Amino acid sequence: MRVLLVEDDLLLGKATRKGLETRGYAVDWIRDGVSAEAAIAAHDYEAILLDLGLPRQDGLTVLAKLRKRGSSVPVLVITARDEVADKVGGLDLGADDFIVKPFDLDELAARIRASIRRANHRPQSHLVHGTLDVDPASRTVTMNGTTIPLTAHQFALLVQLLEARGQVLSKARLEESLYGWGEEIESNTVEVYIHHLRRKLGKELIKTIHGAGYIIEAGPDGH
Ligand code: CA
């Protein structure tokens, strides 16, 4: 669950990054519009938090270019109270949601989850797969009604695979979703997490596609 935070205000950026990291997100933090564009081109993000007033290139331009390239990544625009005109412009350009400064971090995290859900056409907040029930809000996992304790990274990996049910995700893609820039990654990290997930949730859930990556197959209802 890797997100891009584009915010030039140091205090707000720092607090937002920290708040999202404690809620299980890997966060890349960028402070100008040109670097934001480069980061978006280079990485896959689950969501982008975009301030509008930015140095070098404003947020609406970043958003317009992103949608022009055909990207459907959820974008949450961070606005000040008096930016109503920008809000209208942002909606027209393909923003998914708005959050007004100063914002509550729990609310921000909930809005990010909702945007990701909508992007994946999933109306319900829980991810349910057979007897497995995952609640991204409380970060709890139950199987046959029994709570299964997972570490933050194991949980993030499981959610990533469930959100992409029916698609093979490469090891590199999964690594990207777990770590922000500058974080140390052990070369076998993903394999280790998959091993732990299989031990806790059964061998059948996550399949290895040799040379390609990992998959949780879609259920009979397509989910
Ligand atoms: Ca700003």
Side-chain angles (χ1 to χ4, degrees), residues 2-17 20 26-41 43 45 47-63 66 73-80 83 99 101 103 108 112 181:
R2 185 175 182 175
V3 300
L4 178 68
L5 168 65
V6 190
E7 170 60 70
D8 59 322
D9 184 289
L10 269 182
L11 282 178
L12 183 61
K14 212 170 172 176
T16 306
R17 178 171 68 181
L20 290 176
V27 181
D28 290 343
W29 176 22
I30 288 285
R31 294 172 52 202
D32 73 81
V34 172
S35 305
E37 199 183 332
I40 292 164
H43 300 281
Y45 292 104
I48 296 171
L49 306 175
L50 185 63
D51 183 31
L52 293 182
L54 291 169
R56 299 177 75 198
Q57 176 168 254
D58 67 60
L60 287 181
T61 307
V62 174
L63 176 61
L66 171 88
V73 59
V75 175
L76 287 85
V77 168
I78 304 168
T79 63
E83 292 176 327
I99 187 134
K101 295 183 221 187
F103 47 78
L108 176 64
I112 293 171
W181 291 327

Side-chain angles (χ1 to χ4, degrees), residues 12 30 44 51 69 103 124 128 138 141 153 167 175 179 186 192 213:
L12 183 61
I30 288 285
D44 285 317
D51 183 31
R69 282 210 330 268
F103 47 78
Q124 75 282 22
V128 179
S138 62
V141 176
H153 279 143
Q167 297 168 45
E175 269 171 3
Y179 296 96
E186 304 272 341
V192 171

